[in-house]
Amino acid sequence: MAVTATVTQKSTISRPVKTENRSTGSPLQLVVAVSGIYISFLTWAVLQERISTSPYGPDNQVFRASLVINTIQSFCAAIVGYIYTRYTSSSIKTSPTIFANRKAILQYGFVAMTSSLASPFGYASLKHIDYLTLLLGKSCKLLPVMALHVLIFRKKYQWTKYLVVFAVTLGVSLFTFYHPSTSKKAAQGPTSSSVYGLLLLGINLLFDGLTNSTQDHIFHTQPTITGPKMMCGINVMATVLTSAYLLTPFSRQLEDSIEFFKLYPQVLYDILSFSICGAIGQVFIFFTLSKFGSLTLVTVTVTRKMMSMLLSVVWFNHKLTVGQWVGVLLVFGGVGGEALMKYFEKKQKPKKGLDKTQ
């Protein structure tokens, strides 16, 4: 699945169910949900950075088989998603059928394909940009989503939303430009490697945006599909797609991974832990969305991404320049501003409805 866990992350499911704006959960449930998201995805982020950037063994080998990581992750998420589907279906007495019809299978397959294609571009970008830049860029999913809606669906946005996009784009640009290694390269010659890394990251975000837009379309056209069902269905299809490709003669990732696991078994333990954390994190995301609404979820995920960056800085001893901190503030200020605007929009809608009835 996508490195987002996807978000997105990492994880692949951004808006699983349509929920009411009001909160239906208790304060204790909120504490449990937020704690679950933080613990799962902060651990997930540390393991992701370790697997994708840290060397293993005395000869400092880095694990590069991104499709193998995706396959293990989607397989774990499919199992957890199925258990979650059975649990929620029994509690609300609905059918636990994952693949309700042929249309659902095709839609799951398309989302699985776009999310599976997104992840390799994200991992490939790490050869040219650092993990913090990737993590910051993954906070900018609103960019491709807005672009797709404007270009394909001819949707118009308020000027404030374009301001948010500008702030986020400027923040990522500043973060990359003021990276210490980038600054040294700028004095020596062109920074083609960093630009290529950002291009790969942009393709990753474009596939993520296509994934999110398609998920929204599925929920609007098929009301019987719930968040847990989609979580399981998409992850099953993603496991089938990536496994099929790994077994073809076009890829040696499976054979190389088996050899790597034999030499350095620690990486397999890290990947399994990473996959389980992501799958459990998705469950807490669905729980938060169903009990407290999308605004609470956005607030939690934005602050979680900020905590992930800070944890990465401390855990892996990264050094940020002043320009990079300004970039970070611009990105999360823009995303936070977007959440704030949504909050006021939701507060105004009931008032408008009351005015019309009076």
Side-chain angles (χ1 to χ4, degrees):
M1 304 299 288
V3 177
T4 70
T6 98
V7 165
T8 182
Q9 93 109 6
K10 160 192 132 224
S11 90
T12 53
I13 303 172
S14 57
R15 294 176 57 189
V17 289
K18 294 174 70 177
T19 57
E20 298 180 1
N21 293 334
R22 67 177 184 273
S23 172
T24 59
S26 67
L28 178 60
Q29 287 177 322
L30 180 61
V31 171
V32 172
V34 173
S35 300
I37 291 174
Y38 267 57
I39 294 171
S40 299
F41 281 110
L42 288 176
T43 308
W44 180 89
V46 170
L47 288 168
Q48 184 187 44
E49 184 168 4
R50 170 169 170 74
I51 295 166
S52 56
T53 63
S54 299
Y56 288 87
D59 49 351
N60 295 327
Q61 294 295 313
V62 178
F63 188 75
R64 300 292 188 188
S66 59
L67 280 181
V68 173
I69 299 175
N70 288 354
T71 305
I72 297 174
Q73 182 177 224
S74 59
F75 180 72
C76 291
I79 294 174
V80 174
Y82 181 72
I83 296 171
Y84 187 32
T85 301
R86 298 287 299 186
Y87 172 76
T88 54
S89 297
S90 62
S91 62
I92 60 178
K93 296 181 180 179
T94 59
S95 172
T97 304
I98 306 297
F99 301 97
N101 48 58
R102 183 181 178 184
K103 184 179 180 181
I105 295 173
L106 293 174
Q107 289 175 328
Y108 286 161
F110 180 77
V111 174
M113 181 179 66
T114 56
S115 60
S116 297
L117 286 173
S119 185
F121 284 100
Y123 282 109
S125 69
L126 288 172
K127 297 178 183 178
H128 309 279
I129 58 176
D130 65 3
Y131 183 79
L132 287 179
T133 305
L134 174 68
L135 190 60
L136 191 66
K138 296 294 283 185
S139 304
C140 310
K141 287 188 178 181
L142 70 160
L143 301 178
V145 171
M146 285 184 67
L148 287 170
H149 277 101
V150 170
L151 296 174
I152 299 176
F153 302 107
R154 303 298 179 185
K155 186 175 180 179
K156 294 183 178 180
Y157 291 94
Q158 297 177 354
W159 67 270
T160 51
K161 293 188 183 292
Y162 291 104
L163 185 62
V164 168
V165 171
F166 175 76
V168 170
T169 305
L170 180 61
V172 174
S173 301
L174 284 174
F175 189 88
T176 307
F177 181 77
Y178 284 105
H179 190 282
S181 61
T182 303
S183 301
K184 293 177 183 177
K185 290 179 182 178
Q188 298 171 0
T191 58
S192 57
S193 181
S194 296
V195 172
Y196 183 63
L198 290 176
L199 176 63
L200 293 173
L201 177 57
I203 297 173
N204 169 270
L205 293 177
L206 186 63
F207 277 121
D208 277 349
L210 189 58
T211 298
N212 296 339
S213 301
T214 306
Q215 286 171 347
D216 289 340
H217 177 72
I218 294 173
F219 282 123
H220 284 112
T221 56
Q222 299 216 57
T224 58
I225 295 179
T226 62
K229 290 180 181 179
M230 179 175 281
M231 175 183 172
C232 181
I234 291 176
N235 281 290
V236 166
M237 295 298 293
T239 304
V240 172
L241 288 175
T242 54
S243 297
Y245 181 76
L246 288 172
L247 294 173
T248 65
F250 301 105
S251 173
R252 282 195 50 83
Q253 287 195 30
L254 184 59
E255 294 87 343
D256 293 342
S257 297
I258 293 173
E259 292 300 320
F260 201 100
F261 295 154
K262 289 178 180 178
L263 293 172
Y264 316 108
Q266 181 61 44
V267 69
L268 180 58
Y269 301 141
D270 289 342
I271 293 173
L272 288 172
S273 301
F274 164 78
S275 302
I276 293 170
C277 285
I280 294 174
Q282 285 187 37
V283 172
F284 283 108
I285 282 179
F286 291 128
F287 178 79
T288 305
L289 193 61
S290 63
K291 291 292 184 181
F292 301 98
S294 58
L295 179 63
T296 302
L297 180 60
V298 168
T299 304
V300 173
T301 53
V302 168
T303 55
R304 194 273 303 170
K305 287 172 183 175
M306 292 179 69
M307 290 297 294
S308 294
M309 286 199 65
L310 293 174
L311 182 61
S312 177
V313 170
V314 174
W315 193 282
F316 294 97
N317 197 28
H318 295 302
K319 304 295 182 183
L320 298 185
T321 64
V322 175
Q324 285 184 297
W325 280 115
V326 173
V328 170
L329 292 175
L330 278 172
V331 169
F332 289 113
V335 176
E338 173 73 4
L340 212 59
M341 284 186 283
K342 286 182 180 179
Y343 172 76
F344 287 117
E345 286 175 3
K346 288 178 180 179
K347 285 192 70 174
Q348 289 173 359
K349 283 180 181 178
K351 291 181 179 179
K352 289 180 181 179
L354 287 171
D355 292 340
K356 289 180 181 179
T357 56
Q358 288 176 352

